[in-house]
Amino acid sequence: MIEFGQPAALWTALSIGLPILAHMAYRRVSEKFYFPSLRFIRPSQIPRTGKRTPSDIPLLLLRILLFIVLTALLADPYWKSELNSVPSESQEETILAIDLSPSMAGWNGLKEAKEKSLTKLDELTGSVALLTFGHSTTEVQALTPNIDLLRPKIESLEHSWTHGNPQLMLDKVSKMFTASTKHKKLIIVSDFQRSDWQTAYHDMEKSGISYEIVQVGQKTLVDGRRKNNLSILEARAVPAGPSKVRVWTVIRNWDDEMKTVDVELFAGGEVQSTNAISLPPLGSIQSQFVVPEGDFAKATVRISNDDEFLLDNERPLWLKAPPARRFGFWMSEQEDDETDEEKSFLKTAVASAGDNGWNRWVWDQDQADGIRLGDDQLSVELLMVLGVSTWFEEESLSDPILAFLNNGGSVLATPGEPYSSSVSVLKSAGLLNYNFIRVAGGANQTRNPFRVAALDEDSQLADVFAGKAARDLYLSAIHRFGIFRTGSGAEEVSVPLRDREGRPLALVKNYNAGGRFVFLPFRMNTGWTDLPLRNSFLPLLMELVQGGKDNVIKGWPVLEAGEALKGAENDFLAETPGAYRFEDQWVEVILSGTEFTPETLSISQLKESFGNAAQKDIAKPLVDSEPDVEKNPLWVWFALLASSILIIEMLWSRPLSLTTTQT
Amino acid sequence: MAATVDQQLLDPSHLNRIEDFSLLARVVVDGAMPGVHRSLKQGRGSEFYQYRPYTRGEDLKLIDWKVFAKRDELVSKTFQEDTNFTVCLVLDVSASMGYQGNRASCTKARYAAMLAACFAYLGHRQGDRLGLFAYSDRVKEWIRPRAGSGQLNKIFTALQGLKPEGINAHDFAWDRMAANLPGRTMVVFLSDFLDAEDTLAESLRFSLSPKYESLCLQILDPDEIDLPDNESLRFAEMEGDREISTSPSSIREGYRNDMSGFIDDLHSKLTAVSSEFETLTTDKDLGHSLRRFLSMRNKK
């Protein structure tokens, strides 16, 4: 049935409507009619439709209807209907939400949560549901009046390994209650660890939900911090000289008092090494172990202290080195001294470009030859094509090299003999669209070599070559080099290095997948330049072929529990901490760092997270008088009806056309 | 068929299309009402009338010797004889004369001008001196009475240029016109005579003199007789700023009575000063008015 939200508006509308009706009834005619003399004309009442017609009464009824509809519209009409849904068995529903984030495993949190939850069940009436939450929210038991169903499920709960996200639980809870329920109650059992809860928010009062906070795992709580916890924050294996591996770890003391603890390296089923360390209050200490490389594939660093939170006392890690970067050469089958010298310089330079750690470059000619034969599954990161000439074209190497570049590989190319054929081969292969002009220099330039021009300030090389390193580069002598003329598509090519007359000394073309093609217009041997003999050779070479990418030390992927690693065929989902093999990678899964922290939120802070309403206050049902009534607003329909009637009325009673003459 | 044509030539809705008053007057007088006027007297007038063969006994002064020199034929000139009678047309061209209702084919001012043109033409054909006096709140045209076709054309031109505007000031205008009237004059008033019943009779007392005659033709629009046929109207005065919103249907009966009383009152007061009075509506043809004019003129 229709009821009104603002019944007082009916009286107000009546008081406004009567004068309006009177106004409508005695409305003045707005259009003037000029007449010779008004001497015998007397004023009279003006009916809106002029003379009496049969349309008067229907028009009157229409106007009355319009007024009634407008009055009802002002009074905020709504349709009140009894909810026809299946009546709830009880008028009280409770959702018991238990936190299963990893932090609950410490400070006796989960055990206490089970005990308190079971005790709480004895007090509850009506329907009860069981919800657990961590990184995700799980409805363990839907609303049921049979409370005993929940007991075994509570007793069997285990903590999860993924970090907690209570916001998901708060968002889900409000949708789980039956709409017609009088009393909706949420009981949250958690340690309310700050790192999980500080961003959670839900206005309980707005949702009509009363809540109860059951804080567990607080037995060592002092000033918002739980005591007695040490954590392994970080552990990493790095090379430590020939055939040795250094295990480097960081231990954190969360307490405000000094702690002494043994840090053990556990590998091969036994403790390999132990370090006794003293931890300052609220401080961290590094601890290191050196073990022979190759003895063990993986190890676990652990601290022997039995503190309140055990999950952060172990850290698995791989002791295996990650694979080195590989490089190789392509050159003509007919070897010559010039190419051999060039190859020797480049091989030595690139092999020494890495470090003594796991960031290494390894010459792998087999892999390079495999790519030359068309195998695209091989992994070489740098390919050096020496003395590009007709052999390149004869072996149809343009397709494999473009595939290599499009897969993210880097290619360094040098010209062969005759020089012009090198340029035309590169042009026909679609690698460089430059036209050859001539080779500058030669024997007559030995005493007066070409020099490298000053680097542009914004070029990447300028960052590397500064100070003495730049002077060494600028003193480099280039005796011969090819001069080109720019062809179409040259805008894709950058020129990081020029001679002092502005002619290119290096051409670089980048590809979408990170591939990089570098062409040097001179051979890398002493007949063409003294660059290979200089200190700046190695950084110049690696900067050109790598372009500043991928300079981070290679290591194995480290995932937090709950994260996923994309693989070639399947994804790896990190579930529990440990060292795992996935495809050709060695993966370390660790516990989320946010779960180590001992801080928890206070009750007052939690109330802010729940809309600042008191726990007990919002236990009152928001729709106390008529909880089973649904109100559907009708003002839109009334507004539409009023508009329609008004339009009909205006059309019906529009002024008839008049003929007015005025001179 | 001829009668139908004649009737159409007197219909104001047709005549309203003829802009040239000279043509209009000829159409009405010569076309629709042939023979209604008396023939001209030939004699010693000032205006040449025609040539005719000389007959013995005639005054030799009438012979045109120039024609005799050219054609070797004695021809005597005849002149139109002046009647020594004046027709003075008095037109009200105040704003109220500009009204045209739905049922009328022209404004009251146009209707009055058409009548005046016809009267002037008739008068001219009978050799009368013609004068024109047009006014609203000021004298808009005052052509002193004179005979001749030049005078007739002058009157036609003046009628052409009259525009109804301003408020009427009958007293002032009539007094000024009456002071300049020559003897033996017929004054034809063309006006709606609104609000004039008190002063009009006094101003026309000169009609009591045997030298003068006056014909008052009251020109009204059919709407002024029984109000427009609209359902509700906001009337605004054409010569004032009063406004009245009313329903014509509800006041029509009273209005008719009032208007009828006004016309009767006007009639009786004018009759008392020996003035002829006729009420015309702009949807009526011009024939009746012309006959009335001629009957009065021919009494003289």
Side-chain angles (χ1 to χ4, degrees), chain A residues 30 32-33 35 39 42 44, chain B residues 197 234 236 243 246-247 258:
Chain A
S30 58
K32 285 183 180 178
F33 184 84
F35 201 66
R39 184 175 170 187
R42 298 183 183 85
S44 70
Chain B
E197 71 269 34
R234 182 178 165 197
E243 290 182 10
T246 190
S247 167
D258 290 345

Side-chain angles (χ1 to χ4, degrees), chain A residues 213-436:
Chain A
I213 294 170
V214 179
Q215 202 161 16
V216 296
Q218 308 290 305
K219 66 178 183 177
T220 60
L221 187 74
V222 176
D223 296 335
R225 299 172 61 87
R226 295 177 290 185
K227 296 177 72 67
N228 195 18
N229 184 31
L230 302 177
S231 302
I232 300 175
L233 293 185
E234 180 68 277
R236 189 179 295 169
V238 292
S243 304
K244 286 187 178 175
V245 173
R246 185 193 312 276
V247 176
W248 170 83
T249 182
V250 179
I251 315 298
R252 165 80 178 177
N253 177 16
W254 297 99
D255 286 352
D256 53 1
E257 58 192 36
M258 179 72 85
K259 295 272 185 181
T260 302
V261 68
D262 289 339
V263 184
E264 298 171 343
L265 181 71
F266 186 81
E270 57 186 18
V271 176
Q272 298 295 326
S273 179
T274 303
N275 290 341
I277 58 170
S278 292
L279 288 155
L282 299 172
S284 301
I285 286 288
Q286 291 185 16
S287 179
Q288 298 186 25
F289 305 93
V290 177
V291 294
E293 185 183 5
D295 285 1
F296 308 105
K298 61 180 176 181
T300 302
V301 176
R302 65 190 188 190
I303 47 180
S304 58
N305 185 25
D306 286 337
D307 58 14
E308 291 289 346
F309 185 51
L310 298 176
L311 299 188
D312 59 353
N313 289 359
E314 285 190 3
R315 169 68 192 269
L317 74 164
W318 288 105
L319 301 181
K320 292 174 67 65
R325 294 186 171 98
R326 296 186 177 90
F327 68 95
F329 295 92
W330 287 2
M331 61 191 100
S332 171
E333 299 288 343
Q334 297 170 351
E335 295 185 1
D336 59 90
D337 292 343
E338 202 170 33
T339 305
D340 286 345
E341 186 187 357
E342 189 174 28
K343 178 183 174 185
S344 174
F345 276 128
L346 289 169
K347 187 172 77 177
T348 308
V350 177
S352 58
D355 52 28
N356 289 330
W358 288 347
N359 185 25
R360 296 172 295 160
W361 283 95
V362 173
W363 176 37
D364 193 334
Q365 190 56 42
D366 290 342
Q367 296 264 354
D369 290 341
I371 293 172
R372 190 169 177 171
L373 295 171
D375 188 348
D376 59 356
Q377 297 296 318
L378 301 174
S379 65
V380 169
E381 295 194 24
L382 174 60
L383 204 56
M384 287 175 275
V385 187
L386 307 181
V388 175
S389 186
T390 49
W391 60 268
F392 187 88
E393 205 165 43
E394 288 163 2
E395 290 185 44
S396 303
L397 295 177
S398 59
D399 288 340
I401 204 166
L402 283 172
F404 178 71
L405 286 165
N406 286 322
N407 284 330
S410 296
V411 172
L412 176 78
T414 59
E417 291 292 341
Y419 202 108
S420 57
S421 71
S422 300
V423 180
S424 64
V425 164
L426 292 174
K427 192 173 179 181
S428 61
L431 294 168
L432 274 182
N433 192 13
Y434 273 66
N435 298 317
F436 173 67

Side-chain angles (χ1 to χ4, degrees), chain A residues 395-547:
Chain A
E395 290 185 44
S396 303
L397 295 177
S398 59
D399 288 340
I401 204 166
L402 283 172
F404 178 71
L405 286 165
N406 286 322
N407 284 330
S410 296
V411 172
L412 176 78
T414 59
E417 291 292 341
Y419 202 108
S420 57
S421 71
S422 300
V423 180
S424 64
V425 164
L426 292 174
K427 192 173 179 181
S428 61
L431 294 168
L432 274 182
N433 192 13
Y434 273 66
N435 298 317
F436 173 67
I437 298 176
R438 64 186 171 88
V439 175
N444 59 341
Q445 289 287 349
T446 308
R447 292 188 178 179
N448 187 21
F450 302 101
R451 302 288 184 187
V452 176
L455 299 169
D456 292 338
E457 283 186 7
D458 56 347
S459 86
Q460 199 176 349
L461 290 177
D463 295 339
V464 178
F465 294 97
K468 288 182 180 177
R471 193 177 66 177
D472 186 67
L473 178 67
Y474 295 148
L475 287 173
S476 303
I478 297 164
H479 306 301
R480 296 165 66 198
F481 73 100
I483 303 175
F484 308 112
R485 189 173 62 233
T486 312
S488 63
E491 61 277 1
E492 300 171 6
V493 176
S494 62
V495 182
L497 206 67
R498 296 177 186 273
D499 79 332
R500 292 183 183 174
E501 293 180 33
R503 294 170 295 200
L505 292 178
L507 300 168
V508 178
K509 186 175 181 182
N510 289 311
Y511 287 78
N512 288 337
R516 194 172 172 88
F517 179 77
V518 181
F519 180 71
L520 300 173
F522 49 84
R523 303 299 297 264
M524 272 297 178
N525 57 39
T526 51
W528 290 67
T529 175
D530 68 350
L531 197 59
L533 306 175
R534 293 199 163 269
N535 291 337
S536 53
F537 176 55
L538 176 59
L540 176 67
L541 180 68
M542 298 314 292
E543 199 59 38
L544 285 175
V545 296
Q546 285 192 285

Side-chain angles (χ1 to χ4, degrees), chain A residues 571-586:
Chain A
D571 290 350
F572 174 78
L573 179 64
E575 291 175 341
T576 56
Y580 300 95
R581 179 77 195 270
F582 173 63
E583 295 180 352
D584 60 345
Q585 304 199 73
W586 308 79

